């Protein structure tokens, strides 16, 4: 993806203050919701900011669309497989994984409903999907995000008013829990692929 190809070399430096203040903690919380020993898939792994929190899955495949982002991720890899892939067309057989997760990714996937459909295909029935995403918050703030969205989509292909939990549920995933953070601007969404 063009935006992230040009963004890749600045990404870690740009996010470093947020990582220290809250993002690192939220990443850890996200990964703690993945059952141990899972065959795990990460979508949109970026520069590999989650790798240090992977824990002890049976095996991990870290997928990412941008080749430049993947180049930075490769330096941080710790036995996980890296693969260039579009979340809307995952190159895996059905039921390949017990769990999948993504952090800060569904805001930039053009057609999230296609990514959810493919997640439902590659994660086995009964498997878990965990997302840490910035979303459209409730109330007045939500309306401000609707306005902000015009600028963020035009400038960086980032949708600031996505209702990601709702899209996941309408794609057939079952919502287990939604932990709202920062007045609902960030959601930690725990889902299950129904049996
Ligand atoms: C904000 S970054 C988040 C990176 C990483 N997950 C993190 O938490 O630091 C969004 C990432 O999603 C990736 N991405 C966007 N659309 C994608 C798609 N259709 N398939 C796979 N990855 C995608 C981008 O290339 C980028 O690396």
């Amino acid at each position: 993806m063009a935006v992230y190809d040009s963004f890749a070399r600045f990404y870690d430096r740009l996010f470093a203050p947020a990582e220290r203040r809250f993002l690192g903690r939220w990443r850890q919380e996200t990964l703690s919701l993945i059952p141990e020993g899972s065959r795990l898939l990460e979508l949109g792994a970026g520069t590999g900011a989650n790798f240090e929190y992977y824990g002890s899955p049976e095996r991990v495949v870290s997928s990412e669309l941008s080749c430049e982002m993947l180049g930075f991720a490769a330096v941080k890899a710790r036995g996980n497989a890296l693969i260039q892939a579009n979340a809307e067309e995952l190159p895996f057989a059905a039921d390949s994984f017990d769990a999948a997760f993504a952090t800060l990714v569904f805001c930039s996937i053009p057609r999230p409903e296609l990514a959810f459909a493919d997640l439902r295909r590659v994660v086995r029935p009964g498997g878990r999907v965990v997302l840490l995403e910035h979303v459209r918050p409730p109330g007045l703030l939500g309306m401000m995000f609707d306005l902000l969205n015009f600028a963020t989509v035009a400038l960086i292909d980032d949708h600031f008013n996505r209702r990601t939990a709702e899209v996941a549920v309408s794609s057939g995933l079952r919502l287990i829990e939604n932990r709202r953070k920062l007045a609902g601007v960030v959601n930690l969404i725990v889902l299950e692929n129904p049996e």
Side-chain angles (χ1 to χ4, degrees), residues 22 26 133-145 160 162 178-188:
F22 50 84
W26 291 348
E133 297 292 341
H134 72 78
V135 297
R136 184 189 191 279
L140 201 59
L141 206 53
M143 290 182 223
M144 288 166 63
F145 273 53
F160 260 55
R162 282 259 160 95
N178 191 352
R179 300 184 187 173
R180 294 182 173 83
K181 301 175 184 302
L182 276 185
V185 170
V186 174
N187 284 182
L188 176 46

Side-chain angles (χ1 to χ4, degrees), residues 30-51:
T30 303
L31 269 301
S32 76
L33 296 164
I34 302 292
E36 268 182 38
S38 296
R39 295 168 299 156
L40 178 62
L41 171 67
E42 178 171 7
L43 297 182
T47 60
N50 291 311
F51 294 177

Side-chain angles (χ1 to χ4, degrees), residues 3-14:
V3 170
Y4 282 98
D5 278 345
S6 42
F7 201 22
R9 65 198 160 104
F10 308 113
Y11 188 88
D12 286 353
R13 259 177 293 157
L14 200 67

Side-chain angles (χ1 to χ4, degrees), residues 1 4 11 27 42 44-46 49-50 64-66 69 85-87 103-105 108-110:
M1 134 166 292
Y4 282 98
Y11 188 88
R27 292 185 190 283
E42 178 171 7
N50 291 311
E64 164 58 44
L65 185 57
S66 155
M69 294 293 267
N86 184 344
T103 61
L104 312 176
V105 174
S108 43
I109 293 178

